[in-house]
Structures are given as structure tokens and as C-alpha cells.
Amino acid sequence: MSNGIIAADPVRSAFREYYFKRAEMIEPPSDIEKREFGYMQFGGRGMARHLSFRTTGELIATLITQVPSDVYCSNALYRFPTLPMQEKQWLGADLIFDIDGKDLHLPCVSSHSYHCCASCGHVSAPSEDEYSVCNVCGSNKDERIVIPCGKCIEGSKREAMRLHEFLMTDLGIDKLNIHIYFSGNNGFHFHIQDDSYRPLDSQARSDLVGYLMGIGLLVESIGIRKSPGSDNSFVKFPKSGLQAGWRRRVADKLRIDTTSAMRLTNIVKEIGGYSAFKSELEKMTRELGVRIDPQVTTDIHRVFRMPGTLNSKSGLAKVKVRDIESFDGFSDACLLGDAKVKVKLKVPAKVRLRGENYNISKETAELPAYAATYFICKGLALAI
């Protein structure tokens, strides 16, 4: 399976070597003793949770000895992190945002998506046609395996830059308190290191998500008022103007300012009146907003992939991003060793790692560990 835990010795060996040689990459959270940790193991099912570490050294020792496939840490702080959830005594939670390439629904995805049959494991090459049934067993259930292309990564980066701008300009969060990480697969995680956000409950975080995603903006906030008893409207701009936040974004999109009452009136008429403009505004704000995973932000008890650890869906690391525009996850986060590993490809596949193109059309190939691990973790190859 593409997204399951891979039971392959070369992969586990590569992960062990990483945690042994790259311990400096591990970035434990602040207040480590108040966090809940969890991890998954190769070949195992379910997550070992409710774990606690007192020091970074203790955590790294566990990674080296246990060699987990994935490592997680709570965004929340607890008085008793090892106890059952209802007994932990929640003390607050860091604010976290997740941008995942799969949520962008980019048109290029079908051209580099493989289909893995959920019944027999047969993998089909990318095709523009809609998946129907497996060519081997006839099952209609499949798992999609995506190798992100350059367009996917650029799409995620654009979304990350948009979120960064929202956080600084609209929420006023200091740039130094916004920590951006590549997820290790196809997206970015934002960790907000600002104590003022820690007490927020799920509803308050949901309100933040709604604002960032452009949900629920009132037409009145940009100056459109409904005429009593009809679907007609009139313009009365807010006294505070259209210079900030969503008002500025919508005004820029419509190319209006507070001197454009007649222009805005005509725009509303052309669209079809108050109700039609309201619907159009909802579409507009969703397009201008940030596409983030709401559940990640609103869940105040979530365990989240820990910075510096490896992602079993790719073998790439979750690493800090210093500059979004120049960042290249397939190079900057590709940190496994280069010992040779022989693999059997289930289907011809290609990826670019560390500046090298790996376009494998033969059934077997000998690849550097980082490339072999990528194909194995994606479910496109087996170690032999």
C-alpha cells in the first residue's frame, strides 16, 4: 500500500542511520516534558501514544533504538502527558497550520498519480482516464500514489507564502514567531511560537481558520447594503475605509476604493443584484483565502509530525524552511544516505532527488538509499 507502514529492512536501516548520524536535525518542542509523544513502527499497526520525554537526549536515544517510521508530538501542553486524555490536564496548545498539496486539487495531479489496487496491490501507471477496475483482479477499490511534480510544489509554496502574508499583516504575528516546515512529503506546516495563542479553544481556532480561508465575509463589510423590501442594493462604505484585511483584498480584486461608489453599484447590478453579488463574493473570498486543513488547526489535542524526523510516505525529512521561494524539498529534505540498494519496480517511475533525475523503466535497478527509499515508501518498488 502506498501510504501504509513499509516493512523493508533497507528502509529501516536508512532511517536508523539518519537518526544516528543526523541527531542535530531533531528539533524537539519547547516545554518538552509537558508534551505527549507518539510514534509508529515499521510493520506495526497503530501508534504508540501517551509517551513522555524529559530531555532531548532521551528522545534521540529512543529514535535510534526504536527506529520509528513516523514520530509525532502534541501541539498541546499537559500537566500529566502520559495519562489518558481525560486525565492529562490540558494547559494550552501551540497554533499550527497545515498546507497539503492534495487539498489544492491541481490539474496536473492525474498525470503523475499511480493507482494501487486495494485488493491485490497491483500498481497502474499514471493515466488521464478515471480509474475504474484493477487490470489484475477486477477490484474497483484503489489507493492513489502521488509523486508531486514541480507544479505541485510551486502550488504549495504559493499557498504557504499567502498564509505567511495573512499571519503577519492580518493577525499581526511577528515574523520571528512564525516557523515554517516542509512536511516531508507534499506540503508545509506552520508552527506559531506565540504564547498569546496557546489558551485558544477549538472554537476560537475555528474562527481563525474561517477568516484565513475567506469564509463568511459579509457584503456589508465592503459597503454593499440591501435595500429594504427588495434585492436591490446601495453603497455606503465603512468609515474605517477599505485599506486593510479582507476589505483591501476584495477592493483590489474589484479595483475599487472609497471614491468608487458608482463603479461598485454598477458591478452589483451587472452581477444580478444583492443576492447574486453575495454568492459571487463568497466564491471570490474562497479563491483569495488560504487552503489549509481546518482539522489540524482546530484540534487542540492533536499529535503532529515532529520537526527533523522522517516521513514514511517519502523518506524525506520534515525540515525548517528559511526561504520559501528558494526551498527545494526534493533536495533540502532528502537527507538519507547514498549506499546502494537494489529494488524491483512495480511500474516505471520517475522522480528528481538532489538534483538528479531517476527515471526507472527497467524492472530492477540499483539506486542510492535515498532514491530507493523514496520509491519503496511510495509503494512503487520493493527491496530485493
Side-chain angles (χ1 to χ4, degrees):
M1 295 297 176
S2 63
N3 290 331
I5 304 305
I6 311 299
D9 282 345
V11 175
R12 192 170 188 272
S13 296
F15 275 44
R16 181 191 295 277
E17 181 183 41
Y18 171 84
Y19 287 122
F20 183 74
K21 293 184 176 180
R22 298 269 194 167
E24 78 282 356
M25 294 296 299
I26 306 303
E27 191 180 325
S30 59
D31 303 298
I32 185 172
E33 74 283 355
K34 296 178 182 176
R35 307 283 183 163
E36 176 198 350
F37 289 82
Y39 62 79
M40 300 185 72
Q41 292 185 307
F42 289 97
R45 293 185 177 276
M47 184 188 301
R49 285 194 63 170
H50 310 296
L51 306 175
S52 176
F53 299 100
R54 291 169 295 178
T55 66
T56 300
E58 186 181 331
L59 168 61
I60 292 173
T62 298
L63 298 183
I64 294 172
T65 56
Q66 296 298 317
V67 195
S69 63
D70 299 276
V71 184
Y72 303 93
C73 173
S74 67
N75 64 333
L77 293 87
Y78 301 103
R79 182 165 282 114
F80 306 110
T82 60
L83 295 182
M85 191 61 69
Q86 64 272 19
E87 299 174 30
K88 288 182 185 293
Q89 294 188 21
W90 189 82
L91 301 173
D94 296 329
L95 185 61
I96 290 180
F97 301 99
D98 178 26
I99 292 173
D100 195 321
K102 74 178 187 321
D103 297 328
L104 305 184
H105 306 294
L106 298 173
C108 62
V109 172
S110 61
S111 67
H112 48 81
S113 293
Y114 300 78
H115 292 275
C116 180
C117 175
S119 297
C120 72
H122 173 72
V123 179
S124 302
S127 172
E128 297 293 341
D129 298 329
E130 188 72 23
Y131 183 85
S132 54
V133 296
C134 174
N135 295 331
V136 175
C137 71
S139 171
N140 62 357
K141 296 181 179 180
D142 78 308
E143 243 188 306
R144 190 161 72 165
I145 303 169
V146 179
I147 293 185
C149 70
K151 293 179 181 178
C152 293
I153 297 300
E154 287 304 312
S156 295
K157 287 166 72 170
R158 284 195 301 271
E159 214 65 28
M161 287 187 280
R162 185 183 301 183
L163 175 57
H164 195 246
E165 190 254 340
F166 262 98
L167 296 176
M168 289 195 301
T169 60
D170 291 43
L171 300 189
I173 299 176
D174 191 309
K175 182 178 180 178
L176 296 176
N177 293 332
I178 303 173
H179 298 264
I180 307 171
Y181 297 88
F182 174 61
S183 69
N185 190 32
N186 186 21
F188 294 91
H189 298 162
F190 280 63
H191 295 226
I192 309 305
Q193 299 295 324
D194 187 330
D195 291 350
S196 63
Y197 287 95
R198 280 185 173 178
L200 297 183
D201 61 13
S202 292
Q203 183 56 56
R205 292 167 196 251
S206 179
D207 293 341
L208 268 180
V209 167
Y211 180 86
L212 295 170
M213 295 183 73
I215 299 171
L217 182 67
L218 300 175
V219 293
E220 287 78 8
S221 67
I222 62 166
I224 305 297
R225 312 299 171 113
K226 187 174 183 180
S227 300
S230 74
D231 197 46
N232 296 326
S233 63
F234 63 95
V235 174
K236 184 179 180 181
F237 288 119
K239 291 181 179 179
S240 54
L242 303 172
Q243 306 304 314
W246 273 106
R247 290 175 180 174
R248 175 181 58 79
R249 289 185 180 85
V250 173
D252 289 346
K253 182 73 173 179
L254 297 175
R255 291 183 293 176
I256 63 170
D257 56 31
T258 51
T259 67
S260 309
M262 185 56 69
R263 173 174 168 74
L264 184 54
T265 299
N266 291 334
I267 289 174
V268 176
K269 285 182 179 179
E270 289 172 7
I271 290 176
Y274 178 90
S275 298
F277 181 81
K278 181 179 179 181
S279 297
E280 191 63 28
L281 181 66
E282 290 175 357
K283 295 178 185 176
M284 185 188 308
T285 54
R286 284 183 178 272
E287 290 176 1
L288 294 172
V290 186
R291 283 168 285 187
I292 52 180
D293 186 334
Q295 293 183 340
V296 169
T297 304
T298 58
D299 187 349
I300 58 174
H301 298 288
R302 194 178 191 89
V303 288
F304 210 63
R305 189 176 301 281
M306 197 174 78
T309 64
L310 296 168
N311 191 322
S312 72
K313 295 179 182 178
S314 66
L316 302 179
K318 176 174 176 176
V319 296
K320 181 166 282 187
V321 178
R322 307 294 179 183
D323 179 74
I324 300 176
E325 289 190 68
S326 63
F327 180 79
D328 178 2
F330 288 94
S331 180
D332 300 336
C334 188
L335 303 176
L336 294 183
D338 54 9
K340 296 298 182 181
V341 176
K342 196 170 184 180
V343 297
K344 179 179 180 180
L345 271 293
K346 297 180 181 180
V347 66
K350 61 181 179 180
V351 69
R352 183 175 177 82
L353 296 167
R354 293 190 190 171
E356 294 287 334
N357 290 316
Y358 294 94
N359 192 345
I360 315 300
S361 57
K362 296 180 180 180
E363 186 176 352
T364 63
E366 192 173 69
L367 302 172
Y370 62 84
T373 297
Y374 187 86
F375 286 125
I376 293 171
C377 286
K378 283 295 180 184
L380 299 178
L382 297 171
I384 54 177

